[in-house]
Amino acid sequence: MKKVFVALMAVVAMTLAACSSKPESTSTSLGDPQAELPENASDLNSVLDSQLKAGNAEGFTGMLMAIPEKVAEMFKADPKQALGYVEKAQNFINENKAAITGLIGKLGDSDLAKRATELVNTLSSQSPSDYFAGMGFQLPDELKEQADELMDKLPDGIQDAVGGLLGN
C-alpha cells in the first residue's frame, strides 16, 4: 500500500510540475491579436515596433492582420481617428518595410504570410483615401484633403511609385 501511495504521489507531483512549468506566453497569439492593438494611433508604432524588434513573427503578423478590422470599427465611430490609425500604420510600414518583409518571411509559404505580405504592399502603396475606398468606406471631403497631404509628404521616389501604381 505504501508503494502505491508513493507512486501516486510521484505522479501527482510530476503532473503539478508539468502544469506550472509551462511558460506564460507574452506574445500576441493569432487567436485574438486585436486585443493587443492600442486604441490610440499614437501608440500603434511602439506596439508594432516592440513585436518587430523581438522578432515575433506570429505576434507581429497577427497584429498587422488585425489592423483592417480595427480601422473598420474606428471608421464607423470616427473617420478621422481611423485615418490617423491608417497613417500611423503606413508610416511604420514604409519606414520598416525590409524588416517587416523579413519577419513575415519567417512564416514560410503559409496562407497567413501571403495575406500579410499583400496587406503590407497595400498599406505601403495606396493613399489612405484609396485604402478606405478599397474597404468600402468613403472619407469625408475634409479628410480626403488630409490624406492627400500625407501623400505629398512622402519622399519623391515613393510618391512616384505610388502614383505609378495608382495610374497618376
Side-chain angles (χ1 to χ4, degrees):
M1 183 74 177
K2 202 181 236 185
K3 290 180 183 179
V4 172
F5 180 71
V6 170
L8 184 58
M9 291 306 292
V11 170
V12 169
M14 290 188 333
T15 303
L16 291 175
C19 289
S20 65
S21 68
K22 290 182 182 176
E24 290 186 29
S25 175
T26 57
S27 66
T28 304
S29 78
L30 291 177
D32 189 17
Q34 190 169 357
E36 299 293 326
L37 284 175
E39 291 296 320
N40 190 336
S42 63
D43 297 331
L44 180 63
N45 287 5
S46 64
V47 172
L48 290 173
D49 192 49
S50 67
Q51 293 290 324
L52 184 62
K53 286 182 178 173
N56 183 353
E58 292 85 10
F60 180 84
T61 304
M63 290 173 62
L64 182 70
M65 297 305 294
I67 289 173
E69 185 178 336
K70 180 76 139 184
V71 168
E73 288 175 16
M74 285 181 172
F75 192 91
K76 292 173 187 172
D78 183 1
K80 188 171 185 169
Q81 181 186 15
L83 177 62
Y85 215 84
V86 169
E87 288 175 352
K88 287 288 186 181
Q90 287 180 318
N91 287 339
F92 182 82
I93 289 169
N94 286 328
E95 292 170 5
N96 299 286
K97 193 165 183 183
I100 291 169
T101 303
L103 189 62
I104 292 171
K106 289 182 178 181
L107 297 173
D109 195 28
S110 67
D111 182 53
L112 178 62
K114 290 174 186 172
R115 289 184 295 128
T117 300
E118 183 179 304
L119 179 59
V120 166
N121 291 336
T122 298
L123 283 169
S124 66
S125 65
Q126 289 185 346
S127 71
S129 56
D130 288 337
Y131 178 74
F132 282 112
M135 293 179 71
F137 297 112
Q138 283 293 27
L139 284 173
D141 289 338
E142 67 273 7
L143 293 181
K144 284 183 185 176
E145 292 173 15
Q146 184 179 343
D148 291 339
E149 288 173 11
L150 173 67
M151 288 300 286
D152 292 340
K153 292 179 186 176
L154 293 175
D156 289 337
I158 295 175
Q159 278 185 18
D160 294 341
V162 171
L165 289 170
L166 300 176
N168 295 335

